[in-house]
């Protein structure tokens, strides 16, 4: 409990700071349109291409996590084990495809409010339901098996995987340049990241702590699965908008990036001609198909999030912004002033955190995948059985 709260709050404030640094790069270099452009300022063509691959893979994997979440949601909502689980994955992919078709973020404005309301109501229902169930259980709330500190026998992989899931929750910097490029006043990004960051810290901390206190060590992932069956069906139904709206935005961002790379000087990149629309429809279909394949190949939620956080969020949220500060933002030598010394120390620490998450998180995720297959706690890839997705 205590460790989880400290890590959630700590990483949240670090993410706000690193997003501030990411935005400062855009302010100083207005031509930066995507994350790869910023890394290219440091490392040239190699950095640009490396980050381009990371950017595309990250967003496709995130979309895949939403396909997987959608599959889990449909299975719980419908509760018909006779229906092949692959069908729910296909349905989730189709919904994500439909919502990703608008090529600009202007069309997402109203959906953002629906998205936010969806997750808040679903969380509230889950908290109330788990609290009521815990209070009615033998021994009441005092009998819930939770602890303030991690158990002494917890494995490194299990502990680190929990940390990478928290890291994943604060991955908003990766798409920041894409959104800033469409802002009327890009300098207002500071207000946005503070509002988003503080809201996420509040929601993630309270939700995680309260549900853990009500459910204990048996809490599942995603947490809605921890609620009583009927209640979780309702909560998943209400959460469907956030599952598919948020997931589709990732596909739109990576689609826009690829269109800009392939057609840098053509009107096709703006998707307002017949040919442009045909290419856009096909591109989004390919991206969703790849995301669906990933979701079916890794049918367990924790490990997929862990891999995404370790391989990509570690860079986009931690070590790249730290390097941005040293190479693109810092004015004068690192020890030229008290401010520079303090920020230099802070960014060295953030750089170290990123590298630790990269190495430790990747190991923990792979270890968890191997252990899951070894113990038979999950089904195989592309499995029809709904038990493969029970969290």
């Amino acid at each position: 409990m205590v460790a989880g709260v400290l890590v959630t709050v700590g990483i949240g404030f670090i993410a706000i700071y690193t997003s501030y640094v990411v935005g400062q790069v855009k302010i100083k270099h207005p031509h930066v349109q995507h994350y790869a452009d910023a890394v290219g300022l440091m490392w040239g063509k190699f950095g640009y291409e490396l980050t381009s691959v990371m950017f595309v893979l990250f967003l496709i994997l995130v979309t895949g996590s939403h396909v997987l979440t959608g599959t889990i949601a449909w299975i719980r909502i419908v509760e018909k084990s006779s229906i092949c689980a692959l069908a729910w994955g296909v349905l989730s992919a189709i919904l994500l495809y439909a919502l990703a078709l608008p090529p600009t973020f202007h069309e997402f404005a109203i959906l953002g409010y629906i998205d936010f309301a969806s997750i808040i109501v679903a969380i509230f229902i889950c908290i109330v339901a788990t609290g009521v169930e815990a209070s009615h259980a033998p021994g009441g709330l005092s009998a819930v098996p939770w602890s303030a500190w991690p158990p002494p026998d917890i494995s490194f992989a299990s502990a680190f995987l929990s940390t990478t899931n928290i890291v994943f929750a604060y991955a908003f910097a990766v798409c920041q340049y894409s959104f800033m490029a469409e802002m009327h006043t890009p300098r207002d990004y500071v207000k946005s990241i503070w509002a988003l960051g503080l809201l996420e810290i509040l929601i993630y901390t309270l939700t995680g702590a309260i549900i853990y206190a009500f459910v204990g060590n048996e809490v599942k992932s995603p947490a809605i699965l921890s609620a009583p069956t009927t209640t979780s069906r309702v909560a998943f139904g209400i959460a469907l908008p956030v599952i598919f709206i948020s997931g589709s935005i990732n596909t739109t961002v990576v689609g826009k990036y690829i269109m800009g790379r392939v057609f840098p000087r053509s009107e096709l990149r703006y998707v307002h001609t017949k040919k442009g629309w045909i290419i856009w429809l096909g591109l989004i279909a390919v991206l969703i198909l790849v995301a669906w394949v990933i979701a079916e190949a890794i049918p367990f939620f924790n490990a997929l999030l862990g891999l995404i956080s370790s391989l990509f969020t570690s860079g986009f949220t931690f070590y790249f912004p730290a390097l941005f500060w040293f190479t693109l933002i810092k004015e004068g030598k690192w020890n030229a002033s008290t401010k520079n010394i303090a920020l230099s120390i802070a960014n060295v620490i953030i750089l170290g955190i990123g590298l630790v998450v990269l190495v430790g998180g990747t190991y923990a995720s792979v270890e968890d995948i191997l252990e899951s297959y070894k113990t038979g706690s999950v089904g195989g890839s592309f499995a029809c059985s709904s038990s493969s997705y029970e969290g």
Side-chain angles (χ1 to χ4, degrees), residues 54-68:
M54 291 177 63
F55 183 75
V56 171
L57 288 176
F58 171 79
L59 292 175
I60 292 176
L61 281 166
V62 173
T63 303
S65 74
H66 284 266
V67 174
L68 178 56

Side-chain angles (χ1 to χ4, degrees), residues 259 263 268 271 274-285:
M259 291 290 283
F263 307 106
L268 293 175
V271 195
K274 181 179 180 181
K275 185 176 180 181
W277 270 104
I278 292 174
I279 295 173
W280 177 255
L281 294 173
L283 174 61
I284 297 300

Side-chain angles (χ1 to χ4, degrees), residues 172-193:
F172 46 80
V174 64
C175 295
Q176 189 170 322
Y177 291 123
S178 303
F179 290 116
M180 288 181 70
E182 294 194 17
M183 290 180 68
H184 179 271
T185 309
R187 290 184 180 274
D188 284 346
Y189 85 93
V190 178
K191 302 175 186 177
S192 300
I193 61 172

Side-chain angles (χ1 to χ4, degrees), residues 55-130:
F55 183 75
V56 171
L57 288 176
F58 171 79
L59 292 175
I60 292 176
L61 281 166
V62 173
T63 303
S65 74
H66 284 266
V67 174
L68 178 56
T69 309
T71 302
I72 295 170
W74 288 120
I75 289 173
R76 176 54 67 97
I77 291 169
V78 178
E79 282 203 326
K80 286 189 177 181
S81 57
S82 59
I83 299 177
C84 179
L86 291 173
W88 300 124
V90 171
L91 175 59
S92 297
I94 291 173
L95 291 172
L96 285 165
Y97 175 76
L99 289 167
L101 291 181
T104 64
F105 299 121
H106 175 72
E107 288 84 353
F108 281 111
I110 186 63
L111 295 181
Y113 296 105
I114 299 173
D115 185 297
F116 179 73
S118 168
I119 189 62
I120 293 298
V121 174
I123 288 173
F124 179 75
I125 290 174
C126 188
I127 289 175
V128 172
T130 53

Side-chain angles (χ1 to χ4, degrees), residues 2 10 12 23 44 50 56 58 75 87-89 107 202 208 223 246 262 274 280 289 301 306 331 345-346 361 368 372:
V2 176
L50 171 66
V56 171
F58 171 79
I75 289 173
W88 300 124
E107 288 84 353
L202 179 66
S246 295
V262 177
K274 181 179 180 181
W280 177 255
L289 177 61
F301 196 71
E331 297 179 353
I345 294 173
D368 183 72
S372 296

Side-chain angles (χ1 to χ4, degrees), residues 295-379:
E296 297 300 338
I298 310 177
F300 22 101
F301 196 71
N302 265 351
L304 180 55
L305 296 191
L307 278 176
I308 296 171
S309 299
S310 306
L311 296 175
F312 304 109
T313 311
S314 59
F316 293 125
T317 301
F318 297 118
Y319 60 78
F320 280 144
L323 294 173
F324 289 164
W325 188 83
F326 280 110
T327 59
L328 304 175
I329 303 300
K330 178 174 62 67
E331 297 179 353
K333 294 184 178 180
W334 73 272
N335 59 352
S337 65
T338 303
K339 177 182 177 181
N340 272 16
I341 292 174
L343 289 176
S344 294
I345 294 173
N347 281 283
V348 167
I349 293 173
I350 292 171
L351 175 63
I353 291 173
L355 296 177
V356 169
V357 171
L358 172 63
V359 177
T362 302
Y363 167 80
S365 300
V366 173
E367 181 72 16
D368 183 72
I369 291 173
L370 294 177
E371 184 65 20
S372 296
Y373 278 121
K374 181 180 178 180
T375 60
S377 58
V378 296

